[in-house]
Amino acid sequence: MTTLKLRIVFDGAMFGPGKAELLTRIGETGSIAAAGRDMGMSYKRAWMLVEEMNGAFLHPLVSSARGGRGGGGAQLTEAGKEVLALYHDILSRAHTATADAVTELEGMLRALPDGDMSEGK
Amino acid sequence: MTTLKLRIVFDGAMFGPGKAELLTRIGETGSIAAAGRDMGMSYKRAWMLVEEMNGAFLHPLVSSARGGRGGGGAQLTEAGKEVLALYHDILSRAHTATADAVTELEGMLRALPDGDMSEGK
């Protein structure tokens, strides 16, 4: 199925599929380290992204207790849940609005042999 | 100004900002090498992307004459122009459909200090 990957480029900040997935997984796992690990991301990078998001928005998106064995817990704040919901809303609106044109573009593609040959990114 | 970066992920192929820009520049410069160079891309990568696009669509998007000093010329085919136009149409529809929700998300951002601090990607 054809999907859209959507990155929103603000003046001075970006929000896209990677950060959305990281937030989602933090909400699911209660841990920044585990969320990053699930995405093949270093602990350091996951933290950096969280700090970047927390700094970019008026209210932090993730609250966390650093330290202790296991690294403390983390959870989405109300602002974090709201940003994630808005992002999904934006993605859904974009999908709906572009469906016909995307179908037209699909019609110009060569038929695929069996098996998925999708490129990395 | 906030913008969207949109990548369309088909079964087995992708089309996004990079390929769209490469096609645009090929149309402008008449050269795959020059188009790639303008984007800081190696000659090899630019060719690879063109071959990938030409293989993914029913009709090639770029026609080229390889060889000779200077590497021959290249131009967008009718299919190439059509794909590019459709991509811009899709992007424009996505922008329109998501404008209100994007504005809402913008309102949750911290005000920027002067100067652009946008991250790379």
Side-chain angles (χ1 to χ4, degrees):
Chain A
M1 200 199 69
T2 299
T3 58
L4 303 180
K5 280 200 177 183
L6 191 74
R7 177 163 284 118
I8 306 165
V9 186
F10 303 105
D11 292 338
M14 281 200 203
F15 194 89
K19 286 175 185 167
E21 184 178 347
L22 186 62
L23 288 183
T24 303
R25 288 180 187 269
I26 289 170
E28 286 167 2
T29 62
S31 156
I32 294 171
R37 203 162 45 229
D38 289 351
M39 294 174 69
M41 195 181 276
S42 72
Y43 177 77
K44 188 179 164 188
R45 175 152 178 80
W47 262 97
M48 196 201 70
L49 289 173
V50 166
E51 283 176 358
E52 185 189 311
M53 287 189 273
N54 280 354
F57 286 89
L58 283 169
H59 303 286
L61 306 191
V62 174
S63 66
S64 61
R66 226 195 238 265
R69 267 180 198 278
Q75 53 186 27
L76 296 190
T77 62
E78 282 311 305
K81 290 175 192 168
E82 198 177 334
V83 164
L84 202 50
L86 263 172
Y87 178 74
H88 287 303
D89 180 48
I90 288 166
L91 198 54
S92 158
R93 286 170 192 274
H95 261 113
T96 303
T98 63
D100 289 353
V102 167
T103 300
E104 196 174 337
L105 198 52
E106 279 179 292
M108 297 181 68
L109 287 170
R110 189 184 292 276
L112 269 190
D114 283 341
D116 185 357
M117 310 193 313
S118 70
E119 56 174 317
K121 57 175 171 183
Chain B
M1 199 199 69
T2 299
T3 59
L4 302 179
K5 282 201 175 181
L6 192 73
R7 177 162 285 117
I8 306 165
V9 186
F10 303 105
D11 292 340
M14 281 200 202
F15 193 89
K19 286 175 184 166
E21 183 177 349
L22 186 63
L23 288 182
T24 303
R25 288 180 187 269
I26 289 170
E28 286 166 2
T29 62
S31 157
I32 294 170
R37 204 163 43 230
D38 290 349
M39 295 174 68
M41 197 181 274
S42 72
Y43 178 78
K44 188 180 164 189
R45 175 151 178 81
W47 262 97
M48 196 201 71
L49 289 173
V50 166
E51 283 176 357
E52 185 190 310
M53 287 189 273
N54 280 354
F57 286 89
L58 283 167
H59 302 287
L61 307 191
V62 175
S63 67
S64 60
R66 224 196 239 264
R69 268 179 196 277
Q75 52 185 28
L76 296 190
T77 63
E78 283 310 306
K81 291 174 192 168
E82 198 175 335
V83 164
L84 202 50
L86 264 173
Y87 178 73
H88 287 303
D89 180 48
I90 288 166
L91 198 54
S92 158
R93 286 171 191 274
H95 262 112
T96 303
T98 62
D100 289 352
V102 167
T103 300
E104 196 174 339
L105 199 50
E106 279 180 292
M108 296 181 68
L109 287 171
R110 188 184 292 275
L112 268 189
D114 283 344
D116 186 356
M117 311 193 312
S118 72
E119 59 174 314
K121 57 176 167 184

